[in-house]
Amino acid sequence: MTYEFDAELWLWDARQMDTWTFVSLPAEMADEILELSAPYERGFGSVRVEVAVGRTVWRTSVFPDSGRRTYVLPIKKAVRKAEGLEAGDTARVRLTLLDVGAG
């Protein structure tokens, strides 16, 4: 299952020394992913995904965020640098669930 959406990059403020940058998935999309991926969840409720932002493609996981009531996707520094993105910018994201329906 593949999804596409636009999302604003934001900084996780829980650890002041780190600059973890994320995007939040749209709520309706998160609800569907939760339903589809429940049998395949990993630690902390994470779901393995392949992501494309611009020309950059990588594999990571989305994580549930109870405060935001959705999944959040980390956007690593190498991706931000390659695509010229920083917190506050909006990115077009293509996200593919990896394990759903496997096995």
Side-chain angles (χ1 to χ4, degrees):
M1 179 70 73
T2 299
Y3 301 91
E4 289 194 40
F5 59 98
D6 294 321
E8 183 177 329
L9 281 72
W10 53 269
L11 292 175
W12 185 44
D13 59 6
R15 292 169 62 183
Q16 296 300 318
M17 299 305 292
D18 296 331
T19 55
W20 288 81
T21 305
F22 293 86
V23 297
S24 299
L25 277 62
E28 312 79 43
M29 187 180 298
D31 291 344
E32 184 174 322
I33 290 171
L34 177 62
E35 185 177 316
L36 290 171
S37 66
Y40 309 100
E41 286 180 348
R42 296 171 162 255
F44 304 104
S46 65
V47 178
R48 286 181 1 104
V49 295
E50 182 173 272
V51 181
V53 172
R55 295 183 194 185
T56 308
V57 178
W58 76 103
R59 289 188 173 194
T60 187
S61 294
V62 292
F63 300 88
D65 183 331
S66 59
R68 294 177 188 275
R69 303 183 89 152
T70 189
Y71 285 97
V72 294
L73 167 69
I75 307 294
K76 60 187 182 177
K77 185 176 183 176
V79 173
R80 296 190 316 270
K81 184 175 179 180
E83 299 300 329
L85 295 168
E86 57 186 55
D89 291 343
T90 298
R92 182 74 177 163
V93 178
R94 188 180 72 240
L95 182 140
T96 303
L97 304 179
L98 292 178
D99 297 325
V100 173

